């Protein structure tokens, strides 16, 4: 089916549907709650971006805020900012599933003893999940982009003022295929704290203050990690940055290590 940024399926934007189909393809089948979870994560991302756009949340905390989605339903605030009310996704979930069935992007794969229906992504759905909504980049451009990321990682690891080492970088997704043209470059990193002298909280707050940032207490504590991610992503919009833990928790995502570092045991204390 034709898919572009203006397409809607079951009342949902094309990118959300495309990303869901890509994720669900990696499973042996899924229930309705997986659809609801995907809708919730999309809402959470939009809510965080809206708070940043309104100037209520510092943009440097976006990555950390997005990772809070797992217990977001139990929260009414993040970084001291009140969250909007979480919608009821039951109707949206039903409408999206019905639309996916109608377009033959998914099919029913049986029923569990507890009455839950199992759904599976069809071949047509898998093809839709692989479609790009943005201009593709060549493999040569992706290679150059990865080289820039690795150069930034080396620079970060050589910056004694930062509080983390990047100890591993993995690539995954379309970069590991034979395709000549790719979408975003999917990169996962692992961070480890450097050895410091004194309390970590004091060091974290000092780093934020030295950068001249006006942040609340929690934002100052998470600033060291946020700063590393910002330096990797800065002005590289085609980078999709993740944690290696995401790949470890879902081995089907694959991943290839392209950089590793063992922090020296005698690393100098920086505070």
């Amino acid at each position: 089916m034709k898919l572009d940024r203006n397409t809607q399926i079951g009342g949902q934007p094309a990118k959300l549907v495309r990303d869901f189909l890509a994720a669900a393809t990696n499973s042996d089948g899924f229930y309705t709650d997986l659809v609801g979870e995907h809708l919730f994560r999309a809402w959470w991302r939009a809510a965080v971006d809206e708070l940043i756009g309104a100037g209520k949340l510092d943009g440097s905390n976006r990555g950390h805020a997005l990772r809070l989605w797992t217990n977001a339903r139990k929260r009414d605030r993040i970084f001291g900012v009140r969250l909007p009310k979480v919608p009821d996704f039951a109707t949206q979930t039903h409408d999206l599933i019905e639309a996916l069935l109608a377009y033959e992007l998914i099919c029913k794969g049986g029923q569990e003893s507890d009455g839950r229906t199992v759904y599976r992504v069809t071949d047509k759905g898998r093809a839709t999940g692989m479609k790009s909504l943005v201009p593709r980049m060549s493999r040569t451009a992706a290679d150059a982009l990865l080289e820039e990321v690795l150069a930034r990682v080396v620079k970060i690891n050589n910056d004694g003022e930062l509080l983390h080492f990047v100890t591993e970088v993995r690539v995954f997704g379309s970069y590991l295929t034979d395709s000549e043209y790719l979408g975003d470059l999917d990169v996962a990193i692992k961070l480890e704290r450097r050895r410091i002298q004194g309390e970590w909280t004091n060091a974290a707050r000092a780093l934020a203050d030295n950068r001249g940032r006006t942040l609340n207490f929690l934002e100052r504590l998470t600033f060291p990690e946020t700063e590393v991610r910002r330096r990797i992503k800065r002005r590289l919009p085609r980078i999709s940055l993740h944690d290696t833990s995401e790949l470890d928790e879902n081995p089907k995502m694959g991943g290839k290590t392209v950089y590793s570092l063992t922090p020296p045991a005698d690393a100098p204390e920086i505070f």
Side-chain angles (χ1 to χ4, degrees):
M1 66 180 299
K2 182 180 179 180
L3 200 68
D4 59 38
R5 289 188 176 275
N6 297 320
T7 303
Q8 286 208 337
I9 298 176
Q12 302 299 329
K15 185 179 185 304
L16 182 148
V17 175
R18 188 274 312 272
D19 291 349
F20 170 74
L21 291 171
T25 296
N26 294 324
S27 68
D28 295 327
F30 62 92
Y31 307 113
T32 57
D33 56 355
L34 184 65
V35 180
E37 177 184 288
H38 194 80
L39 291 172
F40 172 72
R41 292 187 69 173
W43 172 85
W44 177 255
R45 187 179 302 109
V48 169
D49 287 341
E50 184 175 339
L51 291 174
I52 293 173
K56 298 179 180 179
L57 186 64
D58 192 301
S60 65
N61 290 313
R62 183 177 186 272
H64 184 68
L66 293 179
R67 293 192 294 277
L68 296 175
W69 77 272
T70 53
N71 64 354
R73 288 186 174 88
K74 300 178 182 179
R75 296 173 173 268
D76 60 359
R77 294 175 180 272
I78 56 171
F79 300 103
V81 179
R82 182 172 294 280
L83 292 167
K85 182 180 179 181
V86 179
D88 181 358
F89 292 103
T91 300
Q92 293 183 48
T93 297
H94 174 269
D95 291 346
L96 180 53
I97 288 177
E98 290 300 310
L100 293 173
L101 288 169
Y103 281 109
E104 298 182 345
L105 299 175
I106 64 172
C107 63
K108 293 183 179 180
Q111 199 165 35
E112 300 285 15
S113 58
D114 60 5
R116 290 183 299 170
T117 299
V118 179
Y119 298 94
R120 290 188 172 85
V121 180
T122 63
D123 289 342
K124 185 177 178 182
R126 281 189 285 272
T128 301
M130 295 173 64
K131 290 184 177 180
S132 175
L133 304 178
V134 297
R136 310 287 277 179
M137 64 177 166
S138 68
R139 182 162 292 276
T140 299
D143 289 339
L145 194 57
L146 179 57
E147 288 183 10
E148 173 62 24
V149 169
L150 296 181
R152 292 184 178 195
V153 166
V154 171
K155 189 173 182 179
I156 287 168
N157 286 340
N158 289 331
D159 189 339
E161 292 186 356
L162 297 178
L163 298 183
H164 288 86
F165 286 113
V166 180
T167 58
E168 185 179 8
V169 179
R170 298 183 209 168
V171 290
F172 64 102
S174 60
Y175 187 82
L176 298 182
T177 69
D178 295 329
S179 177
E180 180 60 29
Y181 293 93
L182 315 173
D184 289 347
L185 178 64
D186 295 304
V187 176
I189 62 172
K190 181 177 182 180
L191 301 181
E192 290 187 24
R193 290 182 176 182
R194 295 174 183 251
R195 294 173 63 238
I196 67 169
Q197 185 178 47
E199 294 290 334
W200 172 265
T201 55
N202 292 336
R205 288 182 291 181
L207 181 64
D209 293 343
N210 289 340
R211 294 294 188 274
R213 305 304 298 270
T214 303
L215 305 173
N216 64 36
F217 178 77
L218 183 56
E219 290 170 337
R220 292 165 76 197
L221 291 184
T222 58
F223 181 81
E225 179 178 339
T226 301
E227 176 65 7
V228 170
R229 295 178 181 279
R230 185 190 67 81
R231 291 192 183 191
I232 293 175
K233 281 274 295 180
R234 184 172 52 194
R235 293 192 295 274
L236 296 180
R238 301 303 293 266
I239 293 293
S240 179
L241 193 59
H242 303 259
D243 293 317
T244 55
S245 59
E246 296 179 45
L247 277 60
D248 295 335
E249 293 168 1
N250 188 358
K252 291 183 179 180
M253 294 177 68
K256 177 182 178 182
T257 299
V258 293
Y259 176 91
S260 62
L261 170 75
T262 300
D266 59 347
E269 295 180 339
I270 59 177
F271 281 93

